[in-house]
mmCIF file of all heavy atoms in Angstrom:
data_model
loop_
_atom_site.group_PDB
_atom_site.id
_atom_site.type_symbol
_atom_site.label_atom_id
_atom_site.label_comp_id
_atom_site.label_asym_id
_atom_site.label_seq_id
_atom_site.Cartn_x
_atom_site.Cartn_y
_atom_site.Cartn_z
ATOM 1 N N THR O 290 -0.860 -4.598 30.552
ATOM 2 C CA THR O 290 0.464 -5.217 30.618
ATOM 3 C C THR O 290 0.833 -5.915 29.298
ATOM 4 O O THR O 290 1.939 -5.733 28.784
ATOM 5 C CB THR O 290 0.522 -6.234 31.777
ATOM 6 O OG1 THR O 290 0.285 -5.556 33.010
ATOM 7 C CG2 THR O 290 1.878 -6.907 31.818
ATOM 8 N N ALA O 291 -0.091 -6.735 28.786
ATOM 9 C CA ALA O 291 0.152 -7.441 27.533
ATOM 10 C C ALA O 291 0.379 -6.426 26.377
ATOM 11 O O ALA O 291 1.260 -6.652 25.520
ATOM 12 C CB ALA O 291 -1.011 -8.353 27.159
ATOM 13 N N THR O 292 -0.385 -5.355 26.422
ATOM 14 C CA THR O 292 -0.254 -4.344 25.324
ATOM 15 C C THR O 292 1.111 -3.596 25.411
ATOM 16 O O THR O 292 1.755 -3.455 24.380
ATOM 17 C CB THR O 292 -1.378 -3.300 25.466
ATOM 18 O OG1 THR O 292 -2.622 -3.981 25.424
ATOM 19 C CG2 THR O 292 -1.354 -2.324 24.309
ATOM 20 N N VAL O 293 1.482 -3.213 26.590
ATOM 21 C CA VAL O 293 2.734 -2.457 26.764
ATOM 22 C C VAL O 293 3.910 -3.362 26.456
ATOM 23 O O VAL O 293 4.851 -2.976 25.730
ATOM 24 C CB VAL O 293 2.855 -1.847 28.157
ATOM 25 C CG1 VAL O 293 4.212 -1.206 28.374
ATOM 26 C CG2 VAL O 293 1.747 -0.846 28.376
ATOM 27 N N ILE O 294 3.958 -4.580 27.020
ATOM 28 C CA ILE O 294 5.069 -5.521 26.779
ATOM 29 C C ILE O 294 5.090 -5.881 25.277
ATOM 30 O O ILE O 294 6.156 -6.161 24.726
ATOM 31 C CB ILE O 294 4.903 -6.774 27.639
ATOM 32 C CG1 ILE O 294 5.079 -6.424 29.080
ATOM 33 C CG2 ILE O 294 5.893 -7.859 27.212
ATOM 34 C CD1 ILE O 294 4.880 -7.586 30.014
ATOM 35 N N GLY O 295 3.927 -5.811 24.609
ATOM 36 C CA GLY O 295 3.844 -6.110 23.200
ATOM 37 C C GLY O 295 4.337 -4.999 22.304
ATOM 38 O O GLY O 295 4.290 -5.108 21.067
ATOM 39 N N GLY O 296 4.798 -3.891 22.877
ATOM 40 C CA GLY O 296 5.451 -2.847 22.057
ATOM 41 C C GLY O 296 4.498 -1.771 21.589
ATOM 42 O O GLY O 296 4.905 -0.953 20.763
ATOM 43 N N ILE O 297 3.277 -1.732 22.098
ATOM 44 C CA ILE O 297 2.347 -0.677 21.687
ATOM 45 C C ILE O 297 2.700 0.578 22.477
ATOM 46 O O ILE O 297 2.713 0.583 23.730
ATOM 47 C CB ILE O 297 0.890 -1.067 21.988
ATOM 48 C CG1 ILE O 297 0.540 -2.421 21.353
ATOM 49 C CG2 ILE O 297 -0.052 0.025 21.500
ATOM 50 C CD1 ILE O 297 0.652 -2.433 19.842
ATOM 51 N N SER O 298 2.995 1.671 21.781
ATOM 52 C CA SER O 298 3.462 2.883 22.448
ATOM 53 C C SER O 298 2.301 3.548 23.173
ATOM 54 O O SER O 298 1.224 3.782 22.631
ATOM 55 C CB SER O 298 4.040 3.859 21.428
ATOM 56 O OG SER O 298 4.376 5.092 22.035
ATOM 57 N N LEU O 299 2.504 3.885 24.449
ATOM 58 C CA LEU O 299 1.510 4.585 25.238
ATOM 59 C C LEU O 299 1.282 5.995 24.745
ATOM 60 O O LEU O 299 0.307 6.675 25.154
ATOM 61 C CB LEU O 299 1.887 4.588 26.724
ATOM 62 C CG LEU O 299 1.836 3.230 27.433
ATOM 63 C CD1 LEU O 299 2.435 3.353 28.832
ATOM 64 C CD2 LEU O 299 0.398 2.737 27.527
ATOM 65 N N PHE O 300 2.173 6.506 23.906
ATOM 66 C CA PHE O 300 2.015 7.830 23.301
ATOM 67 C C PHE O 300 1.157 7.781 22.063
ATOM 68 O O PHE O 300 0.882 8.835 21.484
ATOM 69 C CB PHE O 300 3.410 8.438 23.005
ATOM 70 C CG PHE O 300 4.276 8.569 24.214
ATOM 71 C CD1 PHE O 300 5.225 7.609 24.527
ATOM 72 C CD2 PHE O 300 4.120 9.673 25.075
ATOM 73 C CE1 PHE O 300 6.026 7.724 25.650
ATOM 74 C CE2 PHE O 300 4.926 9.796 26.192
ATOM 75 C CZ PHE O 300 5.875 8.819 26.500
ATOM 76 N N GLY O 301 0.766 6.612 21.638
ATOM 77 C CA GLY O 301 -0.136 6.480 20.488
ATOM 78 C C GLY O 301 0.583 6.476 19.153
ATOM 79 O O GLY O 301 1.700 6.950 18.996
ATOM 80 N N GLY O 302 -0.112 5.920 18.141
ATOM 81 C CA GLY O 302 0.358 5.977 16.781
ATOM 82 C C GLY O 302 1.443 5.021 16.385
ATOM 83 O O GLY O 302 1.881 5.047 15.240
ATOM 84 N N ARG O 303 1.864 4.114 17.263
ATOM 85 C CA ARG O 303 2.949 3.202 16.901
ATOM 86 C C ARG O 303 2.760 1.867 17.598
ATOM 87 O O ARG O 303 2.432 1.819 18.811
ATOM 88 C CB ARG O 303 4.333 3.778 17.273
ATOM 89 C CG ARG O 303 5.464 3.217 16.445
ATOM 90 C CD ARG O 303 6.812 3.619 17.001
ATOM 91 N NE ARG O 303 7.152 2.845 18.179
ATOM 92 C CZ ARG O 303 7.659 1.640 18.165
ATOM 93 N NH1 ARG O 303 7.848 1.036 17.011
ATOM 94 N NH2 ARG O 303 7.926 0.987 19.263
ATOM 95 N N GLY O 304 3.007 0.806 16.829
ATOM 96 C CA GLY O 304 2.928 -0.549 17.437
ATOM 97 C C GLY O 304 2.120 -1.447 16.505
ATOM 98 O O GLY O 304 1.410 -1.025 15.589
ATOM 99 N N SER O 305 2.257 -2.762 16.763
ATOM 100 C CA SER O 305 1.530 -3.777 15.976
ATOM 101 C C SER O 305 0.712 -4.621 16.946
ATOM 102 O O SER O 305 1.191 -5.002 17.987
ATOM 103 C CB SER O 305 2.535 -4.667 15.194
ATOM 104 O OG SER O 305 1.847 -5.772 14.659
ATOM 105 N N ILE O 306 -0.530 -4.892 16.547
ATOM 106 C CA ILE O 306 -1.368 -5.709 17.401
ATOM 107 C C ILE O 306 -0.866 -7.131 17.541
ATOM 108 O O ILE O 306 -1.140 -7.797 18.505
ATOM 109 C CB ILE O 306 -2.845 -5.717 16.856
ATOM 110 C CG1 ILE O 306 -3.823 -6.165 17.941
ATOM 111 C CG2 ILE O 306 -2.934 -6.516 15.596
ATOM 112 C CD1 ILE O 306 -5.241 -5.895 17.598
ATOM 113 N N LEU O 307 -0.051 -7.578 16.567
ATOM 114 C CA LEU O 307 0.610 -8.871 16.728
ATOM 115 C C LEU O 307 1.523 -8.879 17.972
ATOM 116 O O LEU O 307 1.671 -9.868 18.659
ATOM 117 C CB LEU O 307 1.408 -9.241 15.508
ATOM 118 C CG LEU O 307 0.614 -9.462 14.223
ATOM 119 C CD1 LEU O 307 1.559 -9.773 13.066
ATOM 120 C CD2 LEU O 307 -0.370 -10.572 14.378
ATOM 121 N N GLY O 308 2.130 -7.695 18.245
ATOM 122 C CA GLY O 308 2.973 -7.557 19.414
ATOM 123 C C GLY O 308 2.174 -7.782 20.711
ATOM 124 O O GLY O 308 2.709 -8.319 21.703
ATOM 125 N N THR O 309 0.918 -7.350 20.708
ATOM 126 C CA THR O 309 0.075 -7.588 21.908
ATOM 127 C C THR O 309 -0.111 -9.038 22.141
ATOM 128 O O THR O 309 -0.072 -9.469 23.319
ATOM 129 C CB THR O 309 -1.299 -6.864 21.700
ATOM 130 O OG1 THR O 309 -1.099 -5.488 21.534
ATOM 131 C CG2 THR O 309 -2.206 -7.133 22.901
ATOM 132 N N LEU O 310 -0.318 -9.816 21.128
ATOM 133 C CA LEU O 310 -0.458 -11.272 21.248
ATOM 134 C C LEU O 310 0.842 -11.857 21.797
ATOM 135 O O LEU O 310 0.797 -12.693 22.727
ATOM 136 C CB LEU O 310 -0.830 -11.921 19.913
ATOM 137 C CG LEU O 310 -0.923 -13.437 19.899
ATOM 138 C CD1 LEU O 310 -1.983 -13.926 20.888
ATOM 139 C CD2 LEU O 310 -1.236 -13.953 18.497
ATOM 140 N N PHE O 311 1.968 -11.428 21.283
ATOM 141 C CA PHE O 311 3.241 -11.877 21.782
ATOM 142 C C PHE O 311 3.438 -11.462 23.260
ATOM 143 O O PHE O 311 3.978 -12.204 24.060
ATOM 144 C CB PHE O 311 4.377 -11.354 20.919
ATOM 145 C CG PHE O 311 4.348 -11.820 19.515
ATOM 146 C CD1 PHE O 311 4.836 -11.006 18.463
ATOM 147 C CD2 PHE O 311 3.863 -13.057 19.168
ATOM 148 C CE1 PHE O 311 4.798 -11.401 17.153
ATOM 149 C CE2 PHE O 311 3.812 -13.476 17.866
ATOM 150 C CZ PHE O 311 4.318 -12.655 16.842
ATOM 151 N N GLY O 312 3.014 -10.249 23.605
ATOM 152 C CA GLY O 312 3.115 -9.738 24.959
ATOM 153 C C GLY O 312 2.339 -10.616 25.931
ATOM 154 O O GLY O 312 2.796 -10.961 27.006
ATOM 155 N N ALA O 313 1.101 -10.976 25.534
ATOM 156 C CA ALA O 313 0.304 -11.826 26.381
ATOM 157 C C ALA O 313 0.941 -13.217 26.505
ATOM 158 O O ALA O 313 0.942 -13.812 27.602
ATOM 159 C CB ALA O 313 -1.094 -11.995 25.764
ATOM 160 N N MET O 314 1.546 -13.705 25.423
ATOM 161 C CA MET O 314 2.202 -14.985 25.481
ATOM 162 C C MET O 314 3.452 -14.934 26.374
ATOM 163 O O MET O 314 3.760 -15.907 27.073
ATOM 164 C CB MET O 314 2.571 -15.459 24.084
ATOM 165 C CG MET O 314 1.382 -15.795 23.201
ATOM 166 S SD MET O 314 1.835 -16.235 21.531
ATOM 167 C CE MET O 314 2.730 -17.812 21.797
ATOM 168 N N ILE O 315 4.165 -13.812 26.373
ATOM 169 C CA ILE O 315 5.334 -13.674 27.254
ATOM 170 C C ILE O 315 4.913 -13.809 28.698
ATOM 171 O O ILE O 315 5.555 -14.557 29.464
ATOM 172 C CB ILE O 315 6.006 -12.304 27.001
ATOM 173 C CG1 ILE O 315 6.712 -12.306 25.691
ATOM 174 C CG2 ILE O 315 7.023 -12.012 28.128
ATOM 175 C CD1 ILE O 315 7.152 -10.877 25.243
ATOM 176 N N VAL O 316 3.857 -13.107 29.110
ATOM 177 C CA VAL O 316 3.400 -13.223 30.487
ATOM 178 C C VAL O 316 2.955 -14.639 30.799
ATOM 179 O O VAL O 316 3.214 -15.186 31.855
ATOM 180 C CB VAL O 316 2.204 -12.235 30.718
ATOM 181 C CG1 VAL O 316 1.645 -12.403 32.099
ATOM 182 C CG2 VAL O 316 2.659 -10.792 30.504
ATOM 183 N N GLY O 317 2.277 -15.281 29.811
ATOM 184 C CA GLY O 317 1.816 -16.660 30.038
ATOM 185 C C GLY O 317 2.979 -17.639 30.182
ATOM 186 O O GLY O 317 2.984 -18.537 31.009
ATOM 187 N N VAL O 318 4.016 -17.453 29.331
ATOM 188 C CA VAL O 318 5.188 -18.330 29.425
ATOM 189 C C VAL O 318 5.930 -18.166 30.694
ATOM 190 O O VAL O 318 6.349 -19.135 31.366
ATOM 191 C CB VAL O 318 6.121 -18.063 28.198
ATOM 192 C CG1 VAL O 318 7.510 -18.700 28.414
ATOM 193 C CG2 VAL O 318 5.477 -18.576 26.930
ATOM 194 N N VAL O 319 6.114 -16.886 31.138
ATOM 195 C CA VAL O 319 6.783 -16.635 32.416
ATOM 196 C C VAL O 319 6.030 -17.212 33.566
ATOM 197 O O VAL O 319 6.595 -17.880 34.487
ATOM 198 C CB VAL O 319 6.963 -15.088 32.617
ATOM 199 C CG1 VAL O 319 7.413 -14.799 34.049
ATOM 200 C CG2 VAL O 319 7.968 -14.507 31.613
ATOM 201 N N SER O 320 4.714 -17.061 33.569
ATOM 202 C CA SER O 320 3.884 -17.636 34.648
ATOM 203 C C SER O 320 3.972 -19.162 34.675
ATOM 204 O O SER O 320 4.158 -19.761 35.720
ATOM 205 C CB SER O 320 2.430 -17.184 34.458
ATOM 206 O OG SER O 320 1.620 -17.717 35.440
ATOM 207 N N MET O 321 3.802 -19.772 33.512
ATOM 208 C CA MET O 321 3.899 -21.228 33.457
ATOM 209 C C MET O 321 5.255 -21.746 33.814
ATOM 210 O O MET O 321 5.383 -22.718 34.560
ATOM 211 C CB MET O 321 3.564 -21.679 31.993
ATOM 212 C CG MET O 321 3.684 -23.179 31.767
ATOM 213 S SD MET O 321 2.453 -24.150 32.693
ATOM 214 C CE MET O 321 0.967 -23.764 31.793
ATOM 215 N N GLY O 322 6.313 -21.096 33.344
ATOM 216 C CA GLY O 322 7.676 -21.532 33.649
ATOM 217 C C GLY O 322 7.976 -21.456 35.127
ATOM 218 O O GLY O 322 8.557 -22.403 35.719
ATOM 219 N N LEU O 323 7.565 -20.366 35.766
ATOM 220 C CA LEU O 323 7.805 -20.215 37.180
ATOM 221 C C LEU O 323 7.032 -21.223 38.001
ATOM 222 O O LEU O 323 7.457 -21.758 39.036
ATOM 223 C CB LEU O 323 7.499 -18.796 37.667
ATOM 224 C CG LEU O 323 8.426 -17.716 37.120
ATOM 225 C CD1 LEU O 323 7.940 -16.330 37.540
ATOM 226 C CD2 LEU O 323 9.863 -17.916 37.614
ATOM 227 N N ASN O 324 5.789 -21.482 37.577
ATOM 228 C CA ASN O 324 4.957 -22.493 38.243
ATOM 229 C C ASN O 324 5.597 -23.882 38.173
ATOM 230 O O ASN O 324 5.634 -24.614 39.143
ATOM 231 C CB ASN O 324 3.580 -22.533 37.654
ATOM 232 C CG ASN O 324 2.714 -21.340 38.020
ATOM 233 O OD1 ASN O 324 3.001 -20.627 39.016
ATOM 234 N ND2 ASN O 324 1.689 -21.054 37.260
ATOM 235 N N MET O 325 6.136 -24.226 37.009
ATOM 236 C CA MET O 325 6.744 -25.520 36.813
ATOM 237 C C MET O 325 8.065 -25.627 37.628
ATOM 238 O O MET O 325 8.460 -26.728 38.008
ATOM 239 C CB MET O 325 6.990 -25.804 35.330
ATOM 240 C CG MET O 325 5.702 -25.923 34.533
ATOM 241 S SD MET O 325 5.975 -26.232 32.758
ATOM 242 C CE MET O 325 6.505 -27.978 32.811
ATOM 243 N N LEU O 326 8.725 -24.497 37.857
ATOM 244 C CA LEU O 326 9.955 -24.501 38.679
ATOM 245 C C LEU O 326 9.619 -24.452 40.153
ATOM 246 O O LEU O 326 10.510 -24.596 40.976
ATOM 247 C CB LEU O 326 10.814 -23.298 38.307
ATOM 248 C CG LEU O 326 11.506 -23.342 36.903
ATOM 249 C CD1 LEU O 326 12.151 -21.996 36.602
ATOM 250 C CD2 LEU O 326 12.551 -24.448 36.903
ATOM 251 N N GLY O 327 8.338 -24.273 40.498
ATOM 252 C CA GLY O 327 7.963 -24.200 41.923
ATOM 253 C C GLY O 327 8.388 -22.904 42.575
ATOM 254 O O GLY O 327 8.611 -22.860 43.795
ATOM 255 N N ALA O 328 8.554 -21.827 41.831
ATOM 256 C CA ALA O 328 9.018 -20.574 42.379
ATOM 257 C C ALA O 328 7.880 -19.843 43.070
ATOM 258 O O ALA O 328 6.718 -20.076 42.850
ATOM 259 C CB ALA O 328 9.586 -19.686 41.242
ATOM 260 N N ASP O 329 8.276 -18.925 43.927
ATOM 261 C CA ASP O 329 7.311 -18.034 44.643
ATOM 262 C C ASP O 329 6.540 -17.236 43.569
ATOM 263 O O ASP O 329 7.115 -16.674 42.698
ATOM 264 C CB ASP O 329 8.075 -17.128 45.578
ATOM 265 C CG ASP O 329 7.150 -16.360 46.517
ATOM 266 O OD1 ASP O 329 6.132 -15.797 46.021
ATOM 267 O OD2 ASP O 329 7.426 -16.295 47.718
ATOM 268 N N PRO O 330 5.166 -17.159 43.718
ATOM 269 C CA PRO O 330 4.370 -16.408 42.730
ATOM 270 C C PRO O 330 4.823 -14.941 42.602
ATOM 271 O O PRO O 330 4.557 -14.320 41.549
ATOM 272 C CB PRO O 330 2.958 -16.539 43.297
ATOM 273 C CG PRO O 330 2.973 -17.757 44.109
ATOM 274 C CD PRO O 330 4.353 -17.870 44.686
#
Side-chain angles (χ1 to χ4, degrees):
T290 298
T292 305
V293 173
I294 293 176
I297 307 298
S298 175
L299 289 172
F300 299 97
R303 205 190 75 81
S305 170
I306 197 167
L307 295 179
T309 299
L310 177 59
F311 297 147
M314 291 176 67
I315 289 168
V316 176
V318 166
V319 169
S320 179
M321 176 66 73
L323 292 176
N324 288 340
M325 294 179 74
L326 288 171
D329 189 313

